[in-house]
Amino acid sequence: MAKVPDVAPSSWAVGWEERPWGVDASANVATQGLSRRQRMAARGPYRAAVPATIAALPVHTAAEVTAAAEDALQEITRFDAELAQGLSHLGGDSDGELAPLSAVLLRTESASSSQIENVTTGAKDLALAALQEKTGTNATLVAANVDAMQRAADLSDELTLDSMLAVHRTLLHGADYAEPGSWRSGQVWIGANAPTPHRASFVPPHSDRVVELLQDLIDFCHRTDVPVLQHVALAHAQFETIHPFADGNGRTGRVLVHTMLHRAGVTRCLTVPVSAGLLQDTESYFRALTAYREGEIEPIIARFTEAAFAGVGNGRALVSDLQSVTHGWLDVVTARRHATVWRVLPVLAEQPAVTVPYLQRRLDVSQPAAQHAVDQLLDAEILTPTSAGRRNRVWVAQEIVEALDAFAARARRR
C-alpha cells in the first residue's frame, strides 16, 4: 500500500509517495550486475511523483511572459500562412496550399523531435527509409515518427485516451520493448546512470496512477480559457511528467503540441518546427521541465516561446533554400507543358529519393512515363543514382538533401 502523498507547497508542483521496491521481476533485473554496495543502496522503498491534477488549476504568468508567448503565437500563425506561397511555382498536385512544403516540414519536425531523444538520421537516409529501402535503425524510427505526426493530423479533431494510444502505436510500431499502443505497466525513471529509481533524477508516477492523470490532462487540454501557447507548453510538460509509456514519451508528447496548435486553429499544416527550436537548447528544455515539476510554470512557457521563434526562423530559411533550388530546376528542365516531369518536381521537394515504381504509384502514371521523367531529370542533373546497377535503382535530388541537412545543422547550433 502506497503512503499518502507528500504534497508540495505549489499547486502545480508534484507531490511524492513511497512505493515498495524489490518485490517484482523488474527490480531483480535492475540490480543484476551491481556491486554489493550498490545493491544495498537500491533496497527499500523509493519515492515516486504524484503530479498535481491540473484540469481546473488557474494559469497565472507575468505580463512579459504572456506578451512574449502571444508574439510567438502570432509568428507561428504568420509562418503557417506563408506556407501557402512557398513553392507554388512548381504547380504539381497543389490544392491551393503549398503542395510539398507541409510534408517537408512534417518530416523535418519529426526528425528534430526524434533527435531530442538522440535518435538521429540524415535527410537522405530518411528519404530512403520512406521508400522502405535498407537504412539504419534510426532512419526507420524517424520514418515511424513521420507517420505518427501524420496520424496526429488525422486525429486533430479529437483528443482522447484512445487517440493518444493510436499515435503511440504508430510511433513505436515494431518496438515491442516499448509496448506500442499501451500504457506502461511498470515503474519508469529518468536518469541514464540510475539502475534503480532510488537515485534517479526523476521518478514519474506509478503505473496505477497513469490513466486517471491522463484523463485529467485531457480535460485540461479541452479548456478554452488559457492562452494557446501557454496551454500547449503546460500540457506538454504535464504529459512528460506523467510519462505514460514505457518509451517514446518525448516524441509522443511533442505530437501533442502540434495536435493542440491545430485544434486551436493556429496552424493548418501541423508542421511548424517547434521541436527544431527546442533542439537548439535541450538543456534549457530539460531544466524547464524540472522547474515545472517543482511548481514553476513560467520557464517551460518561456522555453516554448523561444523555441517557436527559433523554429520559425529556421523554417523560413529552409523555405528560402528550397525556393532557390526549385527555381533553378525550372531553368534547366525543358519539356512540354503537361509532361510528367513537371509533376515529379514537387514530389522531389517533399521526397528527395524516388524510384520509378514509386513515381508510378504516386502520380498514377505508366512505367514508361515515370522512367522518361527520371531520364529527363537525370539529363538536367537534378537526380543522381544511388548505385551503379540498373535494377531497383533509387534516384536522389541531392540539392534537396543538402537543404534539409542544413536545416538540421542549424537546429543543432546553439
Side-chain angles (χ1 to χ4, degrees):
M1 176 71 74
K3 290 188 176 181
V4 175
D6 173 19
V7 180
S10 168
S11 57
W12 282 88
V14 303
W16 301 93
E17 65 180 357
E18 284 193 350
R19 286 280 179 170
W21 179 253
V23 295
D24 57 23
S26 62
N28 294 330
V29 171
T31 55
Q32 287 178 2
L34 300 184
S35 67
R36 182 171 57 181
R37 180 177 181 179
Q38 289 173 321
R39 287 198 301 272
M40 290 294 291
R43 294 177 63 182
Y46 65 93
R47 295 211 319 159
V50 181
T53 51
I54 66 171
L57 280 183
V59 178
H60 298 305
T61 58
E64 60 269 23
V65 173
T66 301
E70 184 59 31
D71 289 346
L73 188 70
Q74 291 178 7
E75 195 72 359
I76 290 173
T77 303
R78 277 194 294 268
F79 180 61
D80 185 73
E82 290 166 12
L83 297 187
Q85 312 301 321
L87 302 183
S88 55
H89 58 280
L90 288 181
D93 297 324
S94 176
D95 59 358
E97 70 175 40
L98 176 59
L101 265 194
S102 60
V104 171
L105 288 169
L106 179 71
R107 235 176 237 202
T108 56
E109 176 65 356
S110 300
S112 297
S113 180
S114 297
Q115 193 166 336
I116 292 174
E117 312 297 324
N118 296 315
V119 179
T120 304
T121 191
K124 180 179 176 180
D125 280 349
L126 180 54
L128 291 173
L131 295 176
Q132 298 185 331
E133 294 289 321
K134 186 175 181 180
T135 57
T137 301
N138 280 5
T140 303
L141 289 172
V142 177
N145 201 20
V146 175
D147 289 340
M149 289 287 285
Q150 187 58 59
R151 176 66 65 89
D154 296 340
L155 296 172
S156 61
D157 288 336
E158 58 177 301
L159 184 54
T160 65
L161 293 175
D162 287 343
S163 67
M164 283 186 180
L165 289 174
V167 168
H168 187 259
R169 186 179 302 112
T170 303
L171 178 61
L172 278 299
H173 176 71
D176 293 343
Y177 65 89
E179 304 172 39
S182 300
W183 310 123
R184 59 179 166 88
S185 56
Q187 184 66 66
V188 295
W189 55 93
I190 299 170
N193 297 319
T196 73
H198 299 80
R199 294 187 178 181
S201 57
F202 178 68
V203 183
H206 192 270
S207 56
D208 62 13
R209 291 186 178 274
V210 164
V211 173
E212 181 180 0
L213 286 166
L214 282 176
Q215 187 56 62
D216 173 78
L217 172 58
I218 287 171
D219 291 343
F220 174 77
C221 290
H222 283 97
R223 284 172 60 173
T224 57
D225 64 325
V226 182
V228 174
L229 200 59
Q230 290 96 315
H231 200 191
V232 167
L234 294 173
H236 173 77
Q238 182 74 352
F239 181 91
E240 297 305 323
T241 297
I242 298 169
H243 232 65
F245 299 111
D247 195 21
N249 292 282
R251 283 164 282 167
T252 308
R254 285 182 287 277
V255 170
L256 174 64
V257 168
H258 292 281
T259 299
M260 291 184 67
L261 287 172
H262 195 62
R263 281 173 54 84
V266 175
T267 60
R268 294 175 302 161
C269 299
L270 207 78
T271 49
V272 173
V274 176
S275 293
L278 292 173
L279 185 59
Q280 286 194 331
D281 191 354
T282 54
E283 290 182 6
S284 175
Y285 169 51
F286 295 135
R287 284 198 302 270
L289 287 175
T290 297
Y292 172 84
R293 292 159 186 159
E294 294 171 349
E296 299 178 49
I297 64 173
E298 290 188 348
I300 193 64
I301 295 171
R303 186 68 197 94
F304 266 75
T305 298
E306 295 165 357
F309 281 117
V312 167
N314 196 0
R316 284 193 172 117
L318 173 60
V319 171
S320 177
D321 288 346
L322 293 176
Q323 286 175 329
S324 177
V325 169
T326 54
H327 273 292
W329 289 352
L330 300 184
D331 293 334
V332 296
V333 173
T334 56
R336 56 187 174 80
R337 181 177 179 183
H338 297 293
T340 300
V341 67
W342 299 117
R343 298 177 60 201
V344 175
L345 294 181
V347 172
L348 294 179
E350 168 195 339
Q351 168 58 23
V354 296
T355 63
V356 169
Y358 172 82
L359 292 175
Q360 285 181 256
R361 295 190 302 271
R362 177 71 181 267
L363 301 177
D364 191 22
V365 297
S366 67
Q367 190 277 339
Q371 184 63 63
H372 183 57
V374 167
D375 291 340
Q376 289 175 294
L377 295 172
L378 179 63
D379 291 341
E381 299 184 347
I382 291 173
L383 288 180
T384 56
T386 60
S387 62
R390 295 292 302 178
R391 291 176 58 83
N392 304 318
R393 181 173 286 189
V394 179
W395 310 87
V396 174
Q398 188 60 35
E399 290 175 301
I400 298 296
V401 168
E402 290 170 1
L404 294 172
D405 283 340
F407 172 92
R410 288 190 298 268
R412 292 191 298 270
R413 192 178 302 134
R414 287 287 297 273

